[in-house]
Each structure stands twice: as C-alpha cells, then as structure tokens.
Amino acid sequence: MIVYALHCACGHDFDQWFDNMADYDAKKDSGIPCPSCGGTEVAKAIMAPRVGKSQPAPAPAPACGPGGCGGGGYPMMM
Ligand SMILES: [Zn+2]
C-alpha cells in the first residue's frame, strides 16, 4: 500500500491510498474524486509518499458548496 497526498483543482488536499504506483495511474485515468467537492481534477501534491502501515488522521478539508468552491477563501474567516 502507498499513500499519496492529492490536491484538487478547488484547492483541497487529501490523502488517498493505492495498492502501488500502477494502481494510482489506473485510478487517475478513470478519475479520482475529491472527497470534499467530488471534482476529479486532482494532482499529486509535492510530498514524499509514505509507504507502510497506519498514519495519523489527516486534517479534514473544509467542505465547499454543491457548486464547488469558487471563492478560494477559508470558511473560518469572517
Ligand atoms: Zn475539492
């Protein structure tokens, strides 16, 4: 198993597990949905892949509306 940090077009970062690099390539071709907005325009973030066992839970990405995130701001900002 291998985990990649992925970055979607809306700016969400999330981690996704794959069996191996070929599995990532196959899933990328069919589209890897962002868990926050469902967009499939995701790219590997610049990060060394972690291989192995468990990992600490990633910080939850801020959810955006059903229309996607257009503002680029953070929800906690008033
Ligand atoms: Zn997203």
Side-chain angles (χ1 to χ4, degrees):
M1 294 289 284
I2 187 169
V3 66
Y4 283 126
L6 302 178
H7 186 84
C8 95
C10 285
H12 302 121
D13 292 307
F14 59 99
D15 291 340
Q16 181 73 50
W17 285 92
F18 302 95
D19 291 338
N20 48 47
M21 290 175 68
D23 184 41
Y24 165 78
D25 287 335
K27 287 194 167 77
K28 185 173 183 292
D29 285 344
S30 57
I32 301 165
C34 167
S36 295
C37 68
T40 53
E41 287 290 319
V42 301
K44 230 185 318 188
I46 299 172
M47 187 196 84
R50 286 167 287 165
V51 180
K53 305 180 270 192
S54 63
Q55 56 166 336
C64 52
C69 349
Y74 292 96
M76 63 278 290
M77 289 174 65
M78 293 296 187

